[in-house]
Amino acid sequence: MSNHQHEIPLPSEIAARMPSRHKGSVELRRSQANIPQADQYLLDTRDKADFTHTDPWRVLRIQSEFVEGFGTLAELGPAVSVFGSARTRPGTKHYDIAEQIGRRLVEKNFAVITGGGPGSMEAANKGASEAGGLSVGLGIELPFEQGLNDWVDLGINFRYFFARKTMFVKYAQGFIVLPGGLGTMDELFEAMVLVQTQKVTSFPIVLVGSAFWGPLIEWVRGTLLEEGMIAEVDLDLVRVVDTAEDAVDGILEGLLHSRGRPSESIVDV
């Protein structure tokens, strides 16, 4: 057999190299994958005529995403949303912990909700699926979308971030947040604001990885608190742990002790 035969890419390899992303339930490839995102259309500033001709109709599409999400997840049962970086590699510490978290949540009778992507999200979905629980993925239209990971049992693809974010909170009893980037930070601080303002109650937030989250917590304490931007009680919005076992225990303890928590802070929103 000639060695040159091994240089011919397999069909799966060719597919993996093609630009590909989802637009709602539609999958786009090659040149079609380069069209603007739905969120981009919505948020870009345009002239008044364009607004009156397109945005009112776009409300119906937004409405359909909420209806689809509510209808699909209405009977989900107790669940926890797990966040973390899409760049986390299999075999790394954070990936392994995320997988253990997915498994332990199922053992405590929770479904597991993630963003449905690779990395820590994939790991949590894998742990939940292999443990025989319900593994949920809420995907989003992005410029370089990879689609839902293979361990998602129940998946929904969204066009709009705000519709997707609603599902993460509405159908979860708490958040477990692994190390991640801007998207992870966005979900974390939004959840903290929702708890702080009592938009959601009895909603524990657990951060996994003291070495990663420690400097952020110190900044919150040393800057936000010292400058009077938050109240002392707001430091209790999250707890930091280092193991999968402690992360799941943190959710359980938070659900027991945080019901009816009063807020002492004045919120600048």
Side-chain angles (χ1 to χ4, degrees):
M1 181 181 295
S2 169
N3 290 334
H4 292 292
Q5 292 178 338
H6 297 290
E7 299 175 3
I8 301 174
L10 299 173
S12 60
E13 294 173 334
I14 296 174
R17 297 174 189 172
M18 289 192 299
S20 174
R21 66 179 177 85
H22 287 86
K23 187 176 180 67
S25 60
V26 178
E27 183 170 348
L28 304 170
R29 291 181 175 176
R30 291 178 284 274
S31 63
Q32 290 296 304
N34 296 322
I35 66 175
Q37 304 170 68
D39 265 340
Q40 183 180 349
Y41 273 127
L42 176 65
L43 299 175
D44 274 354
T45 301
R46 299 177 181 273
D47 60 51
K48 293 182 180 179
D50 185 73
F51 173 85
T52 57
H53 289 145
T54 61
D55 281 8
W57 293 103
R58 190 168 288 119
V59 171
L60 297 177
R61 177 179 287 171
I62 294 169
Q63 175 181 286
S64 72
E65 292 213 338
F66 281 105
V67 171
E68 185 73 26
F70 292 157
T72 301
L73 301 175
E75 299 181 5
L76 182 61
V80 173
S81 290
V82 180
F83 297 98
S85 176
R87 305 184 185 200
T88 302
R89 308 287 294 182
T92 61
K93 177 179 70 174
H94 296 321
Y95 190 99
D96 292 343
I97 290 177
E99 190 173 341
Q100 294 170 33
I101 287 171
R103 185 177 301 110
R104 286 182 177 274
L105 285 171
V106 168
E107 291 171 353
K108 298 298 182 181
N109 299 314
F110 289 104
V112 173
I113 305 173
T114 79
S120 295
M121 295 174 281
E122 174 189 279
N125 285 135
K126 179 182 179 183
S129 182
E130 289 186 336
L134 183 54
S135 176
V136 180
L138 307 181
I140 184 67
E141 174 190 346
L142 294 172
F144 304 102
E145 178 72 34
Q146 298 191 31
L148 297 175
N149 67 68
D150 292 338
W151 298 100
V152 170
D153 301 319
L154 177 62
I156 310 173
N157 282 304
F158 291 88
R159 289 182 173 91
Y160 299 102
F161 265 115
F162 51 83
R164 179 186 187 232
K165 285 182 175 182
T166 300
M167 305 306 153
F168 279 131
V169 177
K170 179 173 175 59
Y171 293 102
Q173 275 65 56
F175 280 3
I176 293 178
V177 190
L178 290 117
L182 296 179
T184 302
M185 299 294 173
D186 177 49
E187 297 291 354
L188 167 61
F189 281 104
E190 181 161 343
M192 291 174 68
V193 171
L194 291 174
V195 177
Q196 182 196 50
T197 57
Q198 298 185 45
K199 301 297 184 184
V200 293
T201 58
S202 304
F203 197 88
I205 304 169
V206 180
L207 310 182
V208 183
S210 57
F212 183 89
W213 296 109
L216 176 63
I217 299 300
E218 286 305 310
W219 177 79
V220 170
R221 183 185 304 276
T223 300
L224 296 186
L225 182 60
E226 288 296 319
E227 293 286 339
M229 303 300 176
I230 63 172
E232 182 80 30
V233 69
D234 294 326
L235 295 173
D236 298 329
L237 292 175
V238 299
R239 64 177 66 190
V240 182
V241 302
D242 283 304
T243 68
E245 181 180 9
D246 287 342
V248 176
D249 286 347
I251 293 292
L252 296 173
E253 292 169 8
L255 290 174
L256 287 174
H257 299 299
S258 67
R259 299 186 184 279
R261 170 188 173 275
S263 176
E264 300 175 3
S265 58
I266 299 175
V267 185
D268 54 344
V269 295

